[in-house]
Amino acid sequence: MTTILLTIHVMVCLFLILVVLLQGGKGAQMGAMFGGSSQTLFGSRGAATFLSKMTVVTAVIFMLTSLTLAIFATRTPSVIKELPVTQERAVPLPGTPQQIPQTPIER
């Protein structure tokens, strides 16, 4: 399930990048501001284009798959928690003091 969702997530991510790069920027009409263009710089945009609608839909799908993958990641147990503690380490970790065997002192 996670593999399928991750594959969908990557494909949606690449499609979102493509759709965003295909759009014309809002700054494209800034040069027409002083030329007497009928479009306003910061006014109404008019009807939304197909690419802007596609961007919104793709972004929503991207966020949903991201949220779902995050939920799946927190619900799977950690590898560290699954390892049984059956033996003590034969080789001590670096930086830990060595245990010196205690021998009785003879008097």
Side-chain angles (χ1 to χ4, degrees):
M1 177 72 179
T2 306
T3 307
I4 295 170
L5 190 61
L6 188 61
T7 305
I8 293 170
H9 183 71
V10 169
M11 289 190 316
V12 168
C13 177
L14 293 175
F15 185 72
L16 181 62
I17 291 170
L18 178 72
V19 170
V20 168
L21 288 176
L22 285 176
Q23 291 184 17
K26 287 184 181 179
Q29 288 90 21
M30 287 183 88
M33 185 173 83
F34 298 109
S37 175
S38 63
Q39 293 181 350
T40 58
L41 180 63
F42 296 110
S44 66
R45 288 181 29 192
T49 64
F50 175 73
L51 282 177
S52 65
K53 289 180 184 178
M54 188 61 75
T55 303
V56 170
V57 170
T58 309
V60 168
I61 295 171
F62 177 77
M63 289 183 192
L64 289 176
T65 55
S66 297
L67 184 63
T68 308
L69 284 170
I71 290 171
F72 282 164
T74 58
R75 292 189 182 194
T76 57
S78 174
V79 176
I80 296 172
K81 292 179 184 177
E82 290 179 357
L83 292 176
V85 182
T86 56
Q87 295 179 357
E88 292 185 25
R89 293 183 179 268
V91 179
L93 294 174
T96 56
Q98 295 284 334
Q99 293 288 338
I100 301 173
Q102 298 285 330
T103 57
I105 301 175
E106 296 181 21
R107 294 186 189 199

